[in-house]
Amino acid sequence: MVPSRLVIILGRWGRPPDDVAWVIVAFGLACVLSALANRDVLENAMNASRARFLAGAGLLAAFLTLGYAAHYLRGGPRIIDATTYVLQAKALAHGHLSFPAPFPSASFRGRFLLFHPHAGGGGDLSGIFPPGWPLLLSLGYILGAPMLVGIALSAGLVIATYALAREVTGDEGTSRLAALLSIACGALRYHTADPMSHAASALGIIVALVCALRAARTGSIRTFIAAGAAIGYVACTRPVSAIPIFLVAAFVVRKSSRRDLAAFALAAVPFLLLLGVSQHFGSLQRAYYAVSDGPPDCFRYGFGKDIGCVHEHGDFVRARLSDGFGLAAAAGTTIRRLHTHLSDALDAWPVLFLALPAIFKHARKAWLLWALVALQVVFYIPFYFDGDYPGAGARFFADVLPIEHVAIAASIAAWLPKIPTLKKTTITVGLVAIVFALHSSYDHLALADRDGGKPMFEPERLQDAKVETGIVFIETDHGFNLARDPNMTDPKLGVVVARLRNDGHDRLLYDELGHPQSWVYRFGADAAVLPFTPPAAEVAGRETWRFEAEADWPPLAQDGAWAEPIWATGNRQNCPSNGQALDVRIRTGASGNGSVTISVPVPRKGSWTIRPTILARENDGPLDLRMGDLHWEAQAQHATHPTCVELGAQTAELDEGETPCRITVSGAPAALDRLELTPAR
């Protein structure tokens, strides 16, 4: 049995784990054996005309991307980032950077969405990511075929990789080797199959470098404009990734005329303006984490004691950043990224190591490319989170994978000049395929099995249930993002997708929308759309609205404290209700108070009696609750076992809409379970 530490270092190895891997290993063996026998299976491709080669290479890359989406992603986007990009793209397809969150807003608010409240209730939601990739992806939704964008990116990356290799080396064989390495790259197949931003950023980077090199060589103002626009697009997609390519491109064109340099700079301005407007001339990601996570200012670029968000990246922060994000932690993060990245460019580190002699010997031929790769590594050092996961590799370095393909191809082609480039190409591609099948394919299958093993929303389930109008309640953040049409708010005209909260929010939305037909989408091994009518707001014959505190996460605001939905068990039935509570905590060792503000939906104007319930735990601190003119105080708790404590009923006149409720803690955490509203009599 292989020791676990060795598996961490070397990765998992074994016989091909599925039929796809067996086909790939057979192809790889055919390549290697045919090259050794001087009967190269790639000879026809390498000797075809340039137009035929590029057309075939682009089509093959597109086909493999479609295959990856079907086999490994099992039909759709998987991680929360990708589903958020999808939701942003659907909004942009309607011409909007944000989209409505009707009353009650908690039925629509959620992870990776920033809420902009309206007076009286409801508001707008914005996806937190920069708009460059959603803008491009929106073209697929406008055409009714989102996957077209991914397969176009696949073909575009192969052609752009070929073009860069031609520009750098001037050699046709080297250029075709670089294109084949792009096709064979498992990480690029993932990034073109799942709607993540890295493939679009990679295409922007390689186009910018090709155009900058041609601009410096030819002096054509069109190439200066194209280079500047491509860098602007990268900045609008992944701002940090734009810095290395800007520095390298600026170095390449540094001796150009002022007119050309002005064109180069001005071409980026429209994309920078779009980025500024969409991000409210700040950072929506940072604004989102400021109201959804902690410690305060945990999500930022740089170094410090409290960097690292404990809700979104809790396991990572507790394991790696107990002493803050300093130079030692940054070095560890970068080393782990580089370790993961070893298997990205050539699918597995053994093939990369086999290419190292060529890379070291001929590094000067591609020094500019390696400088760009090194800058990419350097400029992501100040970001604390690894960002790595199976199949996708080291995501923050994925933007320069095509640059690495060109640099590696140039080195391999120049190494051992007595061996024909065709033979070296065939052996390299064969080894990449073999090691992918025996090693890297395990990571991609691990990706396939994550998070339930399939997308958390499959539109065909609605078609099977013949659901065309009404409300569909979704249990997961991923599923909500995939299912939600941002422009649809009328259940008579189409499907209004909302979050299942299992409390009064569901019934209130159902009432607000006029009691349409409604369903719930149950995610699981056999996902299904089932009829569902939210239960009436009635307990023992009396109108009672129960609103779970955790349903209002992310909260409206945080000031010196942060909130986190937690699972908890109490010492009696229905304690806490729904098995969850909203934990509010303050930075360890901090003095003073911190507060979190949530919203409480009020069904109609009138006199209401409000009953808050907290979850009392051992070592909890005091809690102060304010809702309009109402005020509750709970002293520090010393419960041996978690128990639910009602804070007492108070009555007030409330307007219809969403009323802010501020939760203040001091020194130690405290947890709010729910608030119940009943009409005063």
Side-chain angles (χ1 to χ4, degrees):
M1 185 174 181
V2 180
S4 58
R5 288 187 180 181
L6 197 59
V7 171
I8 292 173
I9 295 172
L10 303 181
R12 185 175 176 183
W13 290 80
R15 64 199 298 270
D18 63 0
D19 291 343
V20 169
W22 276 110
V23 171
I24 293 172
V25 78
F27 169 75
L29 287 171
C31 286
V32 173
L33 294 175
S34 68
L36 295 177
N38 295 318
R39 297 177 179 274
D40 296 277
V41 298
L42 299 181
E43 183 175 1
N44 289 338
M46 294 295 284
N47 292 332
S49 68
R50 182 183 302 175
R52 282 189 174 184
F53 174 81
L54 290 177
L59 287 173
L60 179 58
F63 174 79
L64 291 176
T65 289
L66 286 173
Y68 194 100
H71 183 66
Y72 291 113
L73 298 182
R74 295 174 182 164
R78 300 297 294 278
I79 72 168
I80 186 65
D81 307 57
T83 66
T84 304
Y85 280 121
V86 165
L87 186 55
Q88 289 185 237
K90 288 188 287 187
L92 280 167
H94 292 296
H96 306 297
L97 289 168
S98 59
F99 42 93
F103 174 76
S105 64
S107 294
F108 303 92
R109 290 187 278 132
R111 191 175 169 200
F112 284 12
L113 299 176
L114 185 63
F115 181 58
H116 313 280
H118 293 169
D124 294 312
L125 288 168
S126 300
I128 64 174
F129 295 120
W133 169 231
L135 181 65
L136 185 60
L137 184 58
S138 70
L139 298 177
Y141 284 95
I142 291 171
L143 295 173
M147 199 62 206
L148 281 176
V149 179
I151 62 177
L153 277 177
S154 300
L157 281 168
V158 170
I159 294 169
T161 300
Y162 170 91
L164 179 60
R166 283 286 296 182
E167 192 65 39
V168 170
T169 68
D171 180 68
E172 185 69 20
T174 303
S175 304
R176 296 192 180 197
L177 171 57
L180 291 174
L181 292 179
S182 178
I183 295 170
C185 179
L188 278 186
R189 297 287 67 76
Y190 165 80
H191 286 292
T192 50
D194 210 14
M196 294 290 285
S197 63
H198 300 279
S201 179
L203 183 59
I205 287 171
I206 198 168
V207 168
L209 187 54
V210 169
C211 292
L213 290 168
R214 289 183 181 174
R217 177 168 55 83
T218 66
S220 168
I221 194 167
R222 291 182 180 179
T223 53
F224 281 97
I225 293 172
I231 292 172
Y233 177 77
V234 176
C236 195
T237 303
R238 297 193 59 79
V240 174
S241 296
I243 302 172
I245 182 58
F246 169 73
L247 293 176
V248 170
F251 174 81
V252 169
V253 302
R254 67 191 184 282
K255 295 182 180 179
S256 303
S257 68
R258 291 184 178 179
R259 184 202 67 165
D260 292 339
L261 292 177
F264 172 72
L266 290 174
V269 171
F271 292 103
L272 296 178
L273 286 175
L274 174 61
L275 176 66
V277 170
S278 70
Q279 296 286 297
H280 297 187
F281 295 97
S283 169
L284 291 189
Q285 280 183 276
R286 195 165 179 178
Y288 164 79
Y289 281 101
V291 298
S292 69
D293 221 320
D297 206 21
C298 62
F299 187 87
R300 64 185 188 271
Y301 184 81
F303 304 95
K305 178 65 177 174
D306 290 318
I307 288 181
C309 297
V310 297
H311 177 64
E312 187 65 40
H313 305 136
D315 291 341
F316 177 86
V317 170
R318 286 184 286 271
R320 307 288 187 184
L321 305 181
S322 58
D323 296 322
F325 189 61
L327 293 179
T333 296
T334 302
I335 290 170
R336 287 189 297 275
R337 286 179 188 152
L338 289 171
H339 176 263
T340 301
H341 193 59
L342 287 176
S343 291
D344 287 351
L346 291 177
D347 283 323
W349 56 267
V351 184
L352 181 61
F353 283 167
L354 288 174
L356 279 181
I359 292 171
F360 281 130
K361 186 171 182 179
H362 301 282
R364 284 183 296 178
K365 293 181 178 294
W367 72 268
L368 192 69
L369 306 179
W370 289 120
L372 176 53
V373 173
L375 286 171
Q376 185 79 6
V377 174
V378 167
F379 277 97
Y380 275 99
I381 288 175
F383 185 62
Y384 72 91
F385 186 55
D386 282 6
D388 308 336
Y389 57 92
R395 287 195 294 131
F396 299 133
F397 302 159
D399 301 2
V400 292
L401 277 172
I403 308 299
E404 294 174 335
H405 291 146
V406 174
I408 292 170
S411 299
I412 291 174
W415 191 46
L416 301 176
K418 293 183 179 180
I419 299 177
T421 299
L422 173 59
K423 178 172 288 190
K424 288 186 285 189
T425 296
T426 306
I427 291 175
T428 301
V429 171
L431 289 175
V432 166
I434 291 169
V435 180
F436 176 88
L438 302 179
H439 173 55
S440 301
S441 61
Y442 284 96
D443 280 341
H444 294 272
L445 284 174
L447 170 70
D449 292 334
R450 280 177 58 148
D451 299 324
K454 62 180 179 179
M456 294 190 188
F457 174 75
E458 298 168 296
E460 56 268 25
R461 302 298 181 187
L462 294 189
Q463 298 168 9
D464 294 342
K466 297 181 171 52
V467 176
E468 297 179 351
T469 59
I471 308 172
V472 173
F473 292 94
I474 304 281
E475 298 174 294
T476 65
D477 291 296
H478 304 60
F480 175 85
N481 290 346
L482 293 174
R484 175 78 176 148
D485 179 348
N487 221 35
M488 181 56 62
T489 57
D490 188 345
K492 298 183 183 68
L493 301 178
V495 175
V496 174
V497 172
R499 299 178 188 275
L500 181 67
R501 296 303 192 187
N502 291 310
D503 69 355
H505 290 97
D506 302 337
R507 182 69 192 197
L508 186 53
L509 179 67
Y510 179 75
D511 291 347
E512 287 287 316
L513 295 181
H515 299 172
Q517 285 187 300
S518 59
W519 293 263
V520 62
Y521 185 97
R522 298 291 184 188
F523 173 68
D526 296 313
V529 180
L530 305 174
F532 170 75
T533 301
E538 187 174 289
V539 176
R542 185 177 184 188
E543 181 184 359
T544 302
W545 294 88
R546 173 178 55 86
F547 296 110
E548 295 292 330
E550 70 277 2
D552 211 68
W553 184 90
L556 300 181
Q558 298 184 156
D559 183 12
W562 70 94
E564 183 178 356
I566 59 169
W567 291 96
T569 56
N571 60 358
R572 61 185 176 87
Q573 188 178 7
N574 202 32
C575 173
S577 51
N578 278 4
Q580 288 187 279
L582 189 69
D583 194 32
V584 180
R585 59 187 66 182
I586 197 168
R587 184 189 290 115
T588 303
S591 59
N593 300 329
S595 67
V596 167
T597 302
I598 63 174
S599 69
V600 180
V602 180
R604 60 185 178 275
K605 183 176 181 179
S607 180
W608 292 90
T609 298
I610 301 96
R611 295 178 177 84
T613 299
I614 66 170
L615 177 65
R617 301 162 299 177
E618 188 177 10
N619 299 323
D620 273 5
L623 177 143
D624 182 279
L625 195 67
R626 295 180 183 270
M627 182 175 167
D629 294 330
L630 304 180
H631 179 212
W632 294 266
E633 288 185 353
Q635 300 304 313
Q637 303 296 314
H638 302 288
T640 305
H641 301 286
T643 186
C644 294
V645 177
E646 293 186 4
L647 298 187
Q650 297 188 37
T651 301
E653 292 288 331
L654 299 175
D655 291 328
E656 180 181 359
E658 301 190 50
T659 300
C661 176
R662 189 176 66 188
I663 310 162
T664 302
V665 297
S666 177
L672 180 64
D673 176 28
R674 63 186 183 269
L675 293 104
E676 292 182 346
L677 277 66
T678 56
R681 292 181 179 175

